[in-house]
Amino acid sequence: MINSLFLINPSGEIFLEKHWKSVVSRSVCDYFLEAKEKALEPEDVPPVIHTPHHYLISIYRDKLFFLSVIQTEVPPLFVIEFLHRVAEMIQDYFGECSETVVKDHMVMVYELLEEMLDNGFPLATESNVLKEMIRPPTILRSVVNTLTGTSNVGDTLPTGQPSTIPWRRAGVRYTNNEAYFDVVEEIDAILDQSGTTVFAEIQGVVEACVKLSGMPDLTLSFMNPRLLDDVSFHPCVRYKLWESERVLSFIPPDGNFTLMTYHVNAQNLVAIPVYVKQSISFFECGSDGRLDVTVGPKQTMGKTVEGVMVTVHLPKTILSINLTATQGSYTYDNGTKLLVWDIGKLNPQKLPNLRGSLSLQAGAPKPEENPSLNIDLNIQQLAISGLKVNRLDMFGEKYKPFKGVKYITKAGKFQVRT
Amino acid sequence: MSTNNLSYNDQGGSDSAVEVGQETTPTSSNAGAGFGLFSTNFKKNDDLKEMLESNKDSLKLDAMKRIIALIAKGKNASELFPAVVKNVASKNIELKKLVYVYLVRYAEEQQDLALLSISTFQRALKDPNQLIRASALRVLSSIRVPIIVPIMMLAIKEAASDMSPYVRKTSAHAIQKLYSLDPDQKEHLIEVIDKLLKDKSTLVAGSVVMAFEEVCPDRIDLIHKNYRKLCNLLVDVEEWGQVVIITMLTRYARTQFTSPWKEDGLFDENSETAFYESDEKKTKNGDEKKSYMMDPDHRLLLRNTKPLLQSRNTAVVVSVAQLYWHLAPKHEVGVITKSLVRLLRSHREVQYVVLQNIATMSIQRKGMFEPYMKSFYVRSTDATHIKSLKLEILTSLANEANISTILREFQTYVKSQDKQFAAGTIQAIGRCATNISEVTDTCLQGLVLLLSNRDETVVAESVVVIKKLLQTQPTQHSDIIKHMAKLFDNIAVPMARASILWLMGEYCERVPQIAPDVLRKMAKSFTSEEDIVKLQTVNLAAKLYLTNSKQTKLLTQYILNLGKYDQNYDIRDRTRFIRQLIVPNEKSGALGKYARRILLAPKPAPVLESTYKDRDRYQLGTLSHTINTKASGYLELSDWPAVAPDQSVRNVEVIEPVKEWAPSLGKTGKSKLSKSSDDKFYSDSGEEKEKGSGSSSSEDSSSEESSSEAESDEEKSSSQSSEESDKSSSQSEKSSSESDSEQKKTTKKPPQKKTVKPTAKDRSYLLPIVCGPGERLHGFVSKQVPVSLSLFSLCILTPCPLSCAALLLQVSGPAFVPEKSHDLLHRMTGKGLSAQYQFPRQPCLYQPTMVSVQISLTNTTDHPLEQIHIGDRDPTGLDMHCFNAIECLLPEASVTVSLGVDFNDSTQAANFQLCTKEDQFSVSIQPAVGELFLPATMTEQDFRKEQGKFAGKTASSGALVLVTVELRELSAALITINTEKSVMGPMLLRDLKRALARA
């Protein structure tokens, strides 16, 4: 299975290596670095590279490359999925996944990697199990540690059965028992020039933050489970009960986790919360162009659209831009030709508008295609599909937990072609 | 260098100091690599060494942390080995852990010193804490020192029968490590694998199958007996294990079952129709010809993997998808589509692999993904390789109906700023144009328009594609050729120029005016052209010479002369060849005569097909499929066998065949099947036999004796039970217990084994009820809990395999029967027929392993309902005993029938169809955990004895549930539920608590 792991930063420096079987020289990374040189963007590096003796499977995430070395046949997704788990684990432990964080906690990351794989096969990947073996750092504890010289590794080994419920540790205690569920829906859409929907769908995810004592057994039901077309679950959810009764019955992991993701069957009848009027044009002669973008609310179900942001990758031949925004502010990076217009809250009475002139490099031909606009937005207290949580019941424990559900709609890959 | 006094916190400084020294040396793990490295590290290591040798744990810890940080950075720290290894027995757990990490990394290089640590691990292997045992085994097996192979072997064998599943899991991992260290141990390791494969813990299953795949993937015979167990455990295995098991089972199934594709194989090619029609065809064919019956085990695998399509782990989803692709009947493969499309929302790398698999699938089965076509639309933010894969899939999905949509989409892509992608789109358009003749002209026109595009790559690609398209129907398109000739001057991309020249030459008779002119231009610029263009120029010249020698003779000779002195030998070669061929002279032989036929022969049009066409030779989802070459260690998926191998090899336990109890078959059905399976059960329980077929021969005579006896008993009891159903349950219990007790006396097997096997067979749990301490308890109960609780009020409830407990216990009648009934079929959905079910808690009349269920049927319509009976159910589903069909149910009348269901000790719902004369309704019975138990009475003494049998240190992995209620004070009680089934435990506890709380 997985032989070695290398962490590589965008400039090509290998700053961490871990081997689970015999040591593989880091010169194997040269093949990867070569491919990286060839690719224009870090995202374009092929995830699977075939070298004479090894296979390199890599992911690019949070500006870091996680590169694993494989020697024999293995499902590539197995490795990819695992690498993402490593990144998530680092994020979970240290708050973010970045080169600095890993360098600061080198020893701990190394120990974690040691626990996660045994002989290249995943051993403990559930964050709850890991946290029992290696405690995550907290500010308080790190102060105490420096003063007293004690450490993060639990000095009493966990005695709980690791087998019964792998994702939850035993003996959890909270003074305030609370369970929060965030229903987050993302609209993926492609709109064409005229504003017609080429493609739209809703993807949702139920994120949970459960801090309950003991071994609670929760049942979450929806008012309208028929909306859900396709779902995937955290391993704690009982498939059978979902199939027969359309309820989510589970013993939750402790803390934050993704309970389920779903796809809404809307047959293209997705409510698009905003409309975008745009015109980007370049004059045939002369090196000039105009840009005019207006964003307005469309089907918002009476809620306010917030955090609106428009991102445009302008053509490479643009020399400079001169724009004015009636609301919010815009930034433009001339190196990457990235224009970001941060609008903020959308006011239906006074629609935000960005207009001005673009100037091209002298002699450069008029760009063939107008750049597409990527829209970001979020709407609080609304699940655009209309999904509603009906109730949450708890069995197995006596106390009354505090329960809360929050709905948010966001733009996922929301693109307007021009 | 002032690294000496740097503390741990000051890491940054010390790092840079080391790096200075190391930069120049390669980072191999060689101990003495480079003097520069050694000298700088020398000082630093001195400091570390001192720290390690101090007697303060904190100093040692700091030193170890620095060392591990060095290792993590890929720096060499091997000289510190002696200093580090001394700390292996440290009491500080964190220090110890770090030392372990260090050891694993460097033991191979310092073998002699590493041996010093072995005794510590050997001691730790006996530690009472399972985690310490496990980590000791992990480290011991990771030390790649050949000398300790025997020690490892011993440790693995011991750990394989450890009580803790976690330790057993570790031992499965250690098997692979040992195998890679010393392949000679294979035989012994296979023994351990065989043992671990029998393990029933979900924790172990994945790891041992991994070991199996690595050590002995060809020993398919080891899987037979465990096949059904693996299928049933699958849902509860951790994600990574699921992937490995599913992949293995895919291979297994391909060798053991016959192809389900035969009957609808005809529709293979024409996927669209196959997808829709095969359903009907299948049912028809299946009924009439009986051409194919799916093995129930095959069905079991498909059914048990299906829910995993909902896994959050993308690797699991794809492995199930490939399993369905390779094993399921064609009309069932459709279920994987939605899940695969869902994965496209995941990370970029996941998309890449999934799209590759979809690309392969979509070539064979367009219909599967066509409804999701829009999910493959390209976004400008996609990575390049994702874009080209999506393009590939869209092209494969194109058909007459959707081509206009796809072409409109392609038009957007052609304008993309990513020119590489635009070029790919043009190729895709070309493929659509050749595949779908209706749009060839439209595409061609579109491509011609692109010829005036400003971007060179786009134009070049268009030319190449047009060239290919024209070849398929050259007659009508001299206009396009003329147009291209006009553009010729503006095109600089060699491939495109060469293509135009080729077109000119090939169809020079259609453009007699233009072709010589182009040749003239080429003659001028010949020397500055690329090689590929030069070759085509020579070609064009030759063809024109043959067709129009009057105008082009001189030009041709000029070009041939230029070619003769070209720097490239290919061109010189070609020139010489062409000259000999076309210019008649005395030396050129007979070949000259055929020059025209050689050069102007009609050429077949190229076929534009997908690059994924041949990928299906690899199993989907594998690395080999992704890289399109055979990866090392790739295991071929074999073809379906023509005749299925013996199915009975998978029988481990008595699985009462469904037919036996189906009313239609009555008594006769029992003859052969039940006998053979009974045999097997008993021979198994005595001893796990490899072959297990036919009679219960061999091994030791004692077991044979007992089993034969048991067999007769069993048969007697079962025949009784089918007829005089009253006594049957107790009878059969007795008979099996008798046989078992005899076995106990005669064989010398450890008692665990016996307790394990029968559990699997006797599917209902018993609750032996202990009366001893119960007296006190009863007081408690009667004081605080009303009678309704009395089933649960007894102090110890333990489900115990029938046969071991039945020695002394009597099944007692239910103390309380809840009157609550559950809705089976509501009258609205049932078109007037309503059904309710309840558990009467009576021993089932039909079979001891069944739970009896009472169903009351009511007719709420105003006309009589006829022929109410149980219709289709899944042949491999739960075993059920149906009620006799009710001829007629009058309006407003109701009738109660009873039903026996064998729930297999699971909380799986029983699904079946309730039919009337006109309609049929799918219904399901969901058992509550408590309803699966059978109440029983035994003395405290006996209970203790039986309980003791479960408590062996060696793994007893039977599905045992132990409920203990301990009285603390008068009003407080502690309920402990001890079960391996993680689902059962909490549910049972929940039920108990709810019941108690209500009281």
Side-chain angles (χ1 to χ4, degrees), chain A residues 17 26 43 60 71 73 81 114 118 126 151 164 188 230-231 233 366 369 395 415 417, chain B residues 72-73 94 138 177 310 312 314 342 345 348-349 379-380 409 415 454 623-624 632 982 990:
Chain A
E17 63 177 73
R26 61 163 68 180
E43 284 88 2
Y60 179 69
Q71 269 172 330
E73 171 67 51
E81 183 78 29
E114 178 83 28
D118 183 15
E126 283 296 335
S151 63
T164 41
D188 283 0
D230 179 50
V231 286
F233 298 124
K366 168 190 165 211
E369 188 204 30
F395 306 100
Q415 200 165 77
R417 290 177 178 166
Chain B
K73 287 188 199 110
E94 186 175 18
R138 264 182 77 188
K177 297 184 208 168
Q310 255 71 59
R312 66 166 170 175
T314 57
R342 173 189 358 117
R345 283 274 301 172
R348 184 179 55 90
E349 298 84 8
R379 291 159 205 280
S380 58
E409 188 66 17
K415 285 186 276 176
R454 217 178 296 115
L623 182 62
S624 304
S632 65
S982 52
R990 197 176 76 200

Side-chain angles (χ1 to χ4, degrees), chain B residues 724-954:
Chain B
E724 18 172 316
S725 40
D726 281 16
K727 293 171 191 169
S728 70
S729 64
S730 58
Q731 281 257 349
S732 72
E733 269 157 33
K734 234 181 245 169
S735 66
S736 59
S737 64
E738 267 166 33
S739 69
D740 219 281
S741 62
E742 268 182 58
Q743 277 181 323
K744 261 179 220 163
K745 279 175 221 151
T746 48
T747 61
K748 281 167 192 166
K749 304 288 169 258
Q752 285 83 7
K753 271 193 186 161
K754 245 172 274 145
T755 57
V756 173
K757 292 296 168 182
T759 353
K761 190 239 169 183
D762 298 305
R763 288 249 154 98
S764 44
Y765 288 126
L766 272 187
L767 303 181
I769 290 162
V770 179
C771 299
E775 279 168 20
R776 195 161 49 114
L777 236 178
H778 272 304
F780 154 71
V781 166
S782 54
K783 242 183 275 164
Q784 319 220 336
V785 189
V787 198
S788 70
L789 246 178
S790 55
L791 180 71
F792 293 122
S793 68
L794 300 145
C795 67
I796 299 154
L797 309 171
T798 173
C800 165
L802 193 56
S803 42
C804 79
L807 265 174
L808 293 141
L809 68 91
Q810 281 289 315
V811 176
S812 52
F816 159 71
V817 178
E819 273 155 22
K820 190 181 176 231
S821 55
H822 316 261
D823 249 353
L824 184 66
L825 182 67
H826 192 260
R827 66 184 163 84
M828 296 308 284
T829 44
K831 299 190 185 163
L833 175 69
S834 88
Q836 295 203 311
Y837 69 93
Q838 69 174 101
F839 296 98
R841 296 194 177 164
Q842 299 289 346
C844 183
L845 307 174
Y846 310 109
Q847 219 181 334
T849 63
M850 286 184 170
V851 175
S852 56
V853 181
Q854 260 178 19
I855 300 183
S856 53
L857 300 155
T858 315
N859 183 358
T860 59
T861 58
D862 48 8
H863 57 273
L865 291 167
E866 287 175 359
Q867 282 281 327
I868 301 173
H869 64 279
I870 286 182
D872 286 349
R873 54 206 150 95
D874 208 337
T876 54
L878 297 172
D879 206 359
M880 273 173 51
H881 185 267
C882 313
F883 57 84
N884 292 332
I886 299 163
E887 285 304 331
C888 182
L889 190 60
L890 292 170
E892 300 303 325
S894 64
V895 65
T896 306
V897 289
S898 70
L899 195 71
V901 185
D902 186 353
F903 281 105
N904 280 353
D905 298 349
S906 70
T907 51
Q908 200 183 351
N911 299 309
F912 55 91
Q913 292 205 308
L914 197 60
C915 307
T916 61
K917 201 177 177 190
E918 292 93 8
D919 288 299
Q920 36 186 279
F921 314 99
S922 297
V923 294
S924 82
I925 294 178
Q926 183 70 45
V929 177
E931 304 295 351
L932 300 177
F933 294 90
L934 208 60
T937 320
M938 74 197 307
T939 64
E940 188 187 9
Q941 220 175 5
D942 292 329
F943 174 73
R944 293 271 172 238
K945 211 166 93 194
E946 294 305 325
Q947 194 189 28
K949 287 176 185 165
F950 289 118
K953 197 205 165 190
T954 352

Side-chain angles (χ1 to χ4, degrees), chain B residues 2 43 72 115 190 263 271 276 308-309 360 413 512 519 560 578 628 635 646-647 831 886 900 922 953:
Chain B
S2 62
K43 269 185 171 176
L115 293 178
I190 290 176
E263 60 201 291
S271 53
Y276 295 110
L308 296 179
L309 284 171
T360 307
Y413 301 164
L519 187 65
L560 289 177
I578 294 284
N628 201 16
L635 299 164
D646 187 12
Q647 302 180 10
K831 299 190 185 163
I886 299 163
S922 297
K953 197 205 165 190

Side-chain angles (χ1 to χ4, degrees), chain B residues 159-382:
Chain B
S161 46
D162 197 281
M163 191 174 54
S164 153
Y166 187 70
V167 177
R168 298 202 297 276
K169 184 186 176 77
T170 321
S171 80
H173 290 174
I175 291 173
Q176 303 163 55
K177 297 184 208 168
L178 182 54
Y179 181 66
S180 65
L181 183 66
D182 183 8
D184 293 344
Q185 300 292 320
K186 188 170 175 177
E187 286 314 310
H188 298 286
L189 290 174
I190 290 176
E191 277 170 33
V192 186
I193 290 175
D194 189 29
K195 181 181 166 82
L196 284 173
L197 275 173
K198 296 197 174 82
D199 203 302
K200 287 207 171 66
S201 164
T202 51
L203 211 59
V204 184
S207 299
V208 67
V209 170
M210 189 62 226
F212 170 83
E213 290 280 80
E214 206 132 296
V215 179
C216 51
D218 48 332
R219 287 291 303 272
I220 217 97
D221 56 299
L222 297 181
I223 303 298
H224 292 324
K225 290 254 176 281
N226 302 297
Y227 174 82
R228 288 178 195 156
K229 185 198 72 192
L230 283 174
C231 287
N232 288 323
L233 283 183
L234 201 53
V235 180
D236 294 324
V237 174
E238 30 87 53
E239 303 154 291
W240 312 106
Q242 285 171 349
V243 178
V244 179
I245 296 176
I246 292 171
T247 317
M248 188 274 290
L249 288 179
T250 310
R251 246 172 356 96
Y252 177 86
R254 269 297 189 97
T255 60
Q256 299 299 319
F257 307 129
T258 49
S259 168
W261 302 339
K262 275 173 193 156
E263 60 201 291
D264 45 18
L266 283 174
F267 303 95
D268 243 16
E269 290 304 306
N270 195 354
S271 53
E272 180 90 30
T273 46
F275 189 69
Y276 295 110
E277 278 176 20
S278 55
D279 259 341
E280 303 166 32
K281 285 278 179 204
K282 209 211 158 191
T283 46
K284 260 188 235 159
N285 288 0
D287 287 353
E288 286 164 20
K289 293 180 197 163
K290 299 257 179 215
S291 55
Y292 171 73
M293 271 278 283
M294 187 182 270
D295 189 313
D297 287 327
H298 190 172
R299 173 55 64 198
L300 178 76
L301 177 61
L302 292 176
R303 202 185 47 215
N304 283 1
T305 47
K306 194 176 163 193
L308 296 179
L309 284 171
Q310 255 71 59
S311 172
R312 66 166 170 175
N313 189 319
T314 57
V316 176
V317 178
V318 170
S319 63
V320 177
Q322 66 84 23
L323 180 130
Y324 263 75
W325 180 257
H326 291 294
L327 298 181
K330 297 280 187 201
H331 62 279
E332 283 176 39
V333 179
V335 299
I336 63 176
T337 316
K338 223 184 249 178
S339 306
L340 285 177
V341 172
R342 173 189 358 117
L343 300 189
L344 298 181
R345 283 274 301 172
S346 192
H347 302 288
R348 184 179 55 90
E349 298 84 8
V350 175
Q351 286 182 37
Y352 174 70
V353 178
V354 173
L355 285 171
Q356 279 188 322
N357 286 304
I358 293 180
T360 307
M361 293 183 191
S362 63
I363 289 171
Q364 288 181 38
R365 303 284 307 275
K366 281 184 192 181
M368 263 174 80
F369 292 97
E370 212 207 308
Y372 296 91
M373 191 177 76
K374 287 189 171 173
S375 304
F376 303 107
Y377 280 7
V378 176
R379 291 159 205 280
S380 58
T381 41
D382 286 335

